[in-house]
Amino acid sequence: MKDSFYKYFNCNNKEELYLKLKQNSIDTHKLGKYLKFNQEKENKKIVIRGQNKLFDYLKNNIPDRDEVQIIMFNSNMEVLSDNKFPINTQFKDILDKSYVETANHVILLSHENEYNKLLRLEMDFKLFGYKIIDRIELDKNLELDSKNGIGNCQFTEEDIINGKNKNFKEEKKKINSKELHEFMDYYAKNELLGLNIKDDRKKIKEILKIANQEKSQEYFGLITYNKDQNITNIETSLFKGGIREAKIDPIIITPFLLHQDTDGLIIFHNHPSGSISPSQGDIQVTETIEKMAMRFYKNVEDHFIIGKNKTFSFREEFLLSNYSYERSSNKELSISEKEINLKEPVKNKIKSKEITKEKSTRNRLRSRGQER
């Protein structure tokens, strides 16, 4: 059984944990760093070019004396994975955790007296087609000894201690995921309430991404806002589905449209697969909810699809309806010609992708049948 998420932070429930987080309690520092990491992850790319960049990156990030560090890059020298392993870890286990599809360059780093093991690792990576950028050893004085002669860099014992500190991103695998998701929903509700859908748009997207990107099932939620465009209510789990979809019942959405203080909605759901591309079903659901809102002279401001690292916006991709309403006068407002012209091509492109994918699946199944 997994450990309690709340006990991990010396708390008993979501309310106590949220209060500690807002007070910047030392108990919640790891959680705060985790939230900040997920907030910045969409645009954050670490690129290492040249020895100074490498030294800066390794600072506070070097392995313990009985570990080997494997840093994997793509052709642009963007860090795609960085992991530390006990020096005797088998290569298959190292590659299993370190593997990223687009990675093709590797740096190996360990302490002295592990030359043979490091050389063996280098040969294994080369066998699988990886280019070794460097094989680095740290001597007893914590000075770099580089195979490629990248120069001298002095580290300290404090750097090892900092490098050993586990990130909550990894430790969260050991704790109760149900409690984690419960807290993230509670966190999102408290952080979103009162935000302005225009002025705080970027912040709203970030909070929704943080709260939903790690969920292993699909959840559909909605946000309501008033005539001042301030958020008045958040439902984070209105519908719950499986890995691929969540069935949406329009009747459940009706009470939110009936509320007199509601001027419009933002709807959102996550894609556990990590992809943010909308399906034809996502588009149809959005259009249905838009039509329902129009009957009450209310707007659908946006539909966000949340993946592992990014968020898709129906408004930004011109996939919302061609009309919105001024609630005070019930006046229909046309949107720009640009949005009208772009909406159909985008929808057709998505539909074309789904048809192609469906045909490919049928052909694959047909070929398997013939093989048998």
Side-chain angles (χ1 to χ4, degrees):
M1 186 173 179
K2 291 194 175 184
D3 298 333
S4 167
F5 173 69
Y6 300 118
K7 295 297 182 185
Y8 182 90
F9 297 104
N10 298 317
C11 298
N12 296 310
N13 50 51
K14 59 183 184 291
E15 292 84 2
E16 187 179 338
L17 178 55
Y18 182 75
L19 182 61
K20 272 192 172 186
L21 184 66
K22 299 305 287 185
Q23 293 173 341
N24 199 26
S25 165
I26 192 169
D27 288 337
T28 62
H29 278 184
K30 283 185 179 179
L31 179 59
K33 288 181 179 179
Y34 169 71
L35 295 174
K36 186 177 180 182
F37 170 81
N38 281 340
Q39 177 180 324
E40 296 173 346
K41 187 162 61 172
E42 181 172 345
N43 300 314
K44 188 175 181 180
K45 290 182 179 178
I46 301 173
V47 181
I48 296 179
R49 294 194 181 99
Q51 68 179 46
N52 290 335
K53 287 283 188 181
L54 177 60
F55 294 161
D56 289 342
Y57 177 77
L58 291 176
K59 197 77 173 174
N60 300 327
N61 191 36
I62 64 174
D64 200 359
R65 293 184 182 276
D66 60 350
E67 292 179 324
V68 59
Q69 184 172 356
I70 311 295
I71 310 172
M72 304 190 75
F73 308 80
N74 60 17
S75 299
N76 295 322
M77 292 304 295
E78 295 173 8
V79 176
L80 300 182
S81 71
D82 182 351
N83 296 286
K84 301 180 183 76
F85 303 91
I87 195 66
N88 292 318
T89 304
Q90 293 187 19
F91 177 71
K92 67 180 183 67
D93 296 323
I94 288 175
L95 194 57
D96 180 53
K97 185 174 181 181
S98 300
Y99 177 80
V100 179
E101 187 176 2
T102 54
N104 52 14
H105 293 65
V106 180
I107 285 180
L108 310 173
L109 176 64
S110 73
H111 292 261
E112 64 180 354
N113 302 323
E114 303 297 349
Y115 174 80
N116 290 333
K117 291 174 181 176
L118 213 58
L119 182 60
R120 176 69 193 197
L121 267 177
E122 179 179 358
M123 293 169 62
D124 284 337
F125 273 108
K126 284 182 175 179
L127 177 65
F128 279 76
Y130 291 95
K131 180 179 178 180
I132 306 300
I133 299 171
D134 210 341
R135 190 179 73 236
I136 303 171
E137 282 192 315
L138 287 160
D139 65 20
K140 62 183 179 181
N141 297 317
L142 299 183
E143 192 168 315
L144 288 181
D145 179 14
S146 162
K147 168 194 165 188
N148 289 344
I150 59 174
N152 294 325
C153 182
Q154 188 74 42
F155 295 103
T156 67
E157 289 293 338
E158 185 181 352
D159 297 325
I160 292 181
I161 294 169
N162 290 334
K164 284 172 66 177
N165 285 341
K166 290 183 179 179
N167 191 306
F168 177 66
K169 179 175 176 286
E170 291 297 322
E171 294 188 9
K172 71 183 179 64
K173 297 175 183 177
K174 304 174 186 177
I175 60 181
N176 189 304
S177 58
K178 183 178 179 181
E179 291 179 349
L180 169 61
H181 295 155
E182 176 188 64
F183 174 75
M184 294 311 294
D185 283 346
Y186 183 79
Y187 171 84
K189 287 181 179 181
N190 281 275
E191 294 294 304
L192 288 168
L193 199 62
L195 293 183
N196 187 279
I197 63 165
K198 299 294 185 184
D199 298 341
D200 301 312
R201 178 179 173 79
K202 182 179 178 182
K203 188 174 182 180
I204 291 168
K205 285 178 68 176
E206 287 174 349
I207 294 168
L208 289 174
K209 180 168 75 71
I210 290 170
N212 291 276
Q213 65 187 26
E214 299 289 350
K215 291 179 177 177
S216 58
Q217 290 178 265
E218 192 164 303
Y219 289 83
F220 181 96
L222 65 79
I223 292 168
T224 62
Y225 57 89
N226 59 22
K227 60 182 176 59
D228 296 321
Q229 300 186 321
N230 296 325
I231 293 175
T232 55
N233 187 42
I234 306 100
E235 295 292 334
T236 56
S237 303
L238 203 57
F239 303 102
K240 176 182 175 182
I243 295 174
R244 294 184 181 87
E245 64 176 349
K247 295 292 184 183
I248 313 300
D249 185 350
I251 293 176
I252 305 299
I253 295 171
T254 304
F256 299 96
L257 294 170
L258 286 171
H259 202 287
Q260 288 187 348
D261 291 336
T262 298
D263 200 64
L265 310 174
I266 293 174
I267 54 179
F268 61 91
H269 76 283
N270 66 304
H271 277 181
S273 66
S275 167
I276 57 170
S277 298
S279 67
Q280 196 62 29
D282 292 335
I283 293 173
Q284 289 170 355
V285 164
T286 308
E287 289 178 344
T288 298
I289 295 173
E290 281 189 290
K291 289 175 182 176
M292 292 169 64
M294 286 176 185
R295 296 294 187 275
F296 292 89
Y297 304 104
K298 296 177 181 181
N299 300 319
V300 174
E301 172 64 20
D302 212 332
H303 182 177
F304 295 125
I305 299 177
I306 300 141
K308 293 293 182 186
N309 299 314
K310 295 183 178 181
T311 301
F312 181 94
S313 161
F314 271 62
R315 176 166 295 285
E316 291 169 13
E317 298 298 331
F318 305 102
L319 284 173
L320 289 181
S321 169
N322 296 335
Y323 299 96
S324 61
Y325 288 89
E326 279 187 352
R327 190 179 178 207
S328 58
S329 61
N330 293 348
K331 182 182 177 183
E332 214 172 70
L333 303 172
S334 295
I335 65 166
S336 69
E337 282 186 25
K338 182 181 179 184
E339 185 167 341
I340 295 171
N341 293 335
L342 285 175
K343 181 180 178 183
E344 288 307 318
V346 173
K347 287 172 65 176
N348 291 337
K349 185 178 178 182
I350 292 166
K351 188 174 182 180
S352 176
K353 277 185 180 179
E354 289 203 342
I355 292 171
T356 303
K357 186 177 178 182
E358 190 177 331
K359 284 182 179 178
S360 175
T361 303
R362 283 204 304 265
N363 291 337
R364 207 162 50 242
L365 292 172
R366 193 178 293 116
S367 65
R368 285 178 185 172
Q370 289 171 353
E371 287 173 5
R372 291 174 186 164

